[in-house]
Structure formats: structure tokens, C-alpha cells
Amino acid sequence: MTDTTPRVHELNLYRQYFDLVATGTKTIEVRVKYPHLADLGAGDIIRFRIKGTDETCKVNVKRVTEYPDFEALLDAEGPANINPTATRDQQLANIRTIYPPEKEALGALAIEVKQING
């Protein structure tokens, strides 16, 4: 018998990105390929939380795609799917502010998500 219960991952998100995910506008979440995300896959659930608050939103993971760096990720996924309110160059700068070069060297993950209603 196989367990088909989706795994739930808890991840923090900055307010500006949380709001985009919560409204369904942001469909690609960008993360560094940290070891704790190695088992993240389609069918899982992510509960995003604004750090220091009780605000959460849940999304289904549709797919996870690995890229060597953030530039390759932005080019393949399309900046509008990641943050429709910022240009590609602004997004790259913002992402690299969050994740310094030694973190980017771990690899970049594009996590396609779909908001769970209710």
C-alpha cells in the first residue's frame, strides 16, 4: 500500500511575494536548492507564512525544475510568472539580494504553484 498523503512544507515569504502568491498572480516561486527542499515535488503542499505573523496561504506544487542559476531560471520560466510587478533585471537584483552568490551556487529551483482555495 502506498501513502498518497501530500507532504506539507512550511516556508517563509516576504509580504510583497506572499500577496502575489495569495492572489494567484505569482505562479513560480524561486528558491535555492537547499537540502531541506530536495524532496519537494509535484503533489506536495506548501504553506507559506509571513515571518513573525500568523498569516498563511497554501498552494499545491505542480512541478519543481532545477536551474544552474537565477538568470537561467528567469529566462526559462519568464519573469511575469515570478513577479509580474517587476522587470527581469529588477527581479534578478532582488533575488540576489535575498540569496548571495554562495547560495546561488547550490542551484536554483523554480517551483510552480497553484493556490488552494479555502
Side-chain angles (χ1 to χ4, degrees), residues 5-6 11 14 23 27 29-30 32 34 37 43-44 56 59-60 71 78 84 86 91 97 100 108 110 113 115 118:
T5 305
L11 298 174
Y14 289 112
T23 60
T27 58
E29 171 60 10
V30 175
V32 164
Y34 288 124
L37 296 176
D44 287 355
T56 63
V59 296
N60 281 317
E71 289 194 52
Q91 289 184 54
T97 298
V113 298
Q115 184 184 21

Side-chain angles (χ1 to χ4, degrees), residues 6 12 16 18 23-24 38 41 43 47 59 70 72 78 80 88-89 105 107 117-118:
N12 289 321
Q16 68 190 57
F18 179 92
T23 60
R47 183 179 298 117
V59 296
F70 298 131
R88 179 194 180 279
D89 290 343
N117 294 325

Side-chain angles (χ1 to χ4, degrees), residues 62-90:
K62 296 178 75 173
R63 70 176 166 85
V64 179
T65 305
E66 184 178 346
Y67 293 95
D69 55 39
F70 298 131
E71 289 194 52
L73 186 153
L74 283 164
D75 290 343
E77 299 292 339
N81 296 315
I82 298 161
N83 182 355
T85 68
T87 67
R88 179 194 180 279
D89 290 343
Q90 289 170 327

